[in-house]
Amino acid sequence: MATRTDAPTRREQILKEAARLFAERGFHGVGVDEIGAAVGISGPGLYRHFAGKDAMLAELLVGISGQLLTGAKRRLAEADGQVDAEAVLDSLIEGHIDFALDDRPLITLHDRELDRLRDSDRKMVRQLQRQYVELWVGVVREVYPGLGEPAARSAVHSVFGLLNSTPHLGRGGALPGRGATAELLHLMARGAFAAAGSHQSPA
């Protein structure tokens, strides 16, 4: 999503507006006609792209979980054998910050609407998220070898909570600017990991 540089497809436009509207008014507070109007097509025209709102929600939440995992794997592959673990951790943090700043409605959707997914879709989201967390845990333990696995996993979840707080930071001009916000979030994330790493814990 945030990493694309080419023009979005109609399907991606629909998903973006659906995410925004669902986050603002709740899943049940938005009709198909409103989503269609936001992208300049009739409500029924959406059914050429999606079976309905449930399908849109599933693609949004499963999709972003998959994109985060794929992006993190790509960053690790690009860094393999070239940079140290500190730089890899910084790269992972930067990637998650991009998501947290550019896809804020999806954070709100995940918090509010995950339970609306079918069991199979919800399990897929959880599976992708577990893989994403474990990838981070491995890198964090390389940077802080004295940090036990359970403590490292707790630290990763805590940092995600910090970074995913962006929907609560205010709207529009309330933020100090994307660059400054990204820098602050990065410093806070590294500070949280450093604090966790300062406590030597059993493996």
Side-chain angles (χ1 to χ4, degrees), residues 1-14 16:
M1 287 188 175
T3 59
R4 289 184 61 95
T5 56
D6 50 336
T9 65
R10 176 50 61 96
R11 189 179 179 86
E12 289 169 335
Q13 291 172 344
I14 293 169
K16 180 179 179 180

Side-chain angles (χ1 to χ4, degrees), residues 9-30:
T9 65
R10 176 50 61 96
R11 189 179 179 86
E12 289 169 335
Q13 291 172 344
I14 293 169
L15 287 173
K16 180 179 179 180
E17 291 304 318
R20 179 182 64 81
L21 290 168
F22 291 159
E24 287 178 356
R25 290 187 243 164
F27 181 75
H28 287 304
V30 179

Side-chain angles (χ1 to χ4, degrees), residues 8-93:
T9 65
R10 176 50 61 96
R11 189 179 179 86
E12 289 169 335
Q13 291 172 344
I14 293 169
L15 287 173
K16 180 179 179 180
E17 291 304 318
R20 179 182 64 81
L21 290 168
F22 291 159
E24 287 178 356
R25 290 187 243 164
F27 181 75
H28 287 304
V30 179
V32 170
D33 288 341
E34 294 174 89
I35 299 171
V39 294
I41 61 177
S42 66
L46 289 181
Y47 293 108
R48 291 196 295 270
H49 301 276
F50 297 96
K53 290 198 306 176
D54 289 338
M56 294 179 206
L57 183 64
E59 185 155 337
L60 284 165
L61 295 182
V62 175
I64 192 56
S65 296
Q67 288 176 50
L68 283 169
L69 177 60
T70 298
K73 287 181 175 179
R74 174 178 52 78
R75 287 170 181 269
L76 261 68
E78 291 172 350
D80 187 30
Q82 300 178 23
V83 292
D84 62 19
E86 295 268 1
V88 176
L89 181 57
D90 283 332
S91 181
L92 288 177
I93 292 171

Side-chain angles (χ1 to χ4, degrees), residues 90-142:
D90 283 332
S91 181
L92 288 177
I93 292 171
E94 288 166 6
H96 198 97
I97 287 173
D98 283 343
F99 156 67
L101 291 177
D102 297 337
D103 292 310
R104 294 163 71 191
L106 292 180
I107 297 173
T108 301
L109 273 189
H110 181 277
D111 290 345
R112 293 180 182 171
E113 313 290 358
L114 181 63
D115 288 344
R116 298 192 188 280
L117 295 183
R118 295 179 305 173
D119 286 345
S120 59
D121 290 326
R122 189 165 57 251
K123 287 177 181 177
M124 177 59 70
V125 169
R126 295 302 192 194
Q127 179 183 345
L128 292 167
Q129 289 175 340
R130 281 195 297 271
Q131 293 178 53
Y132 184 59
V133 168
E134 294 310 307
L135 187 151
W136 277 66
V137 168
V139 175
V140 169
R141 294 194 71 200
E142 284 189 56

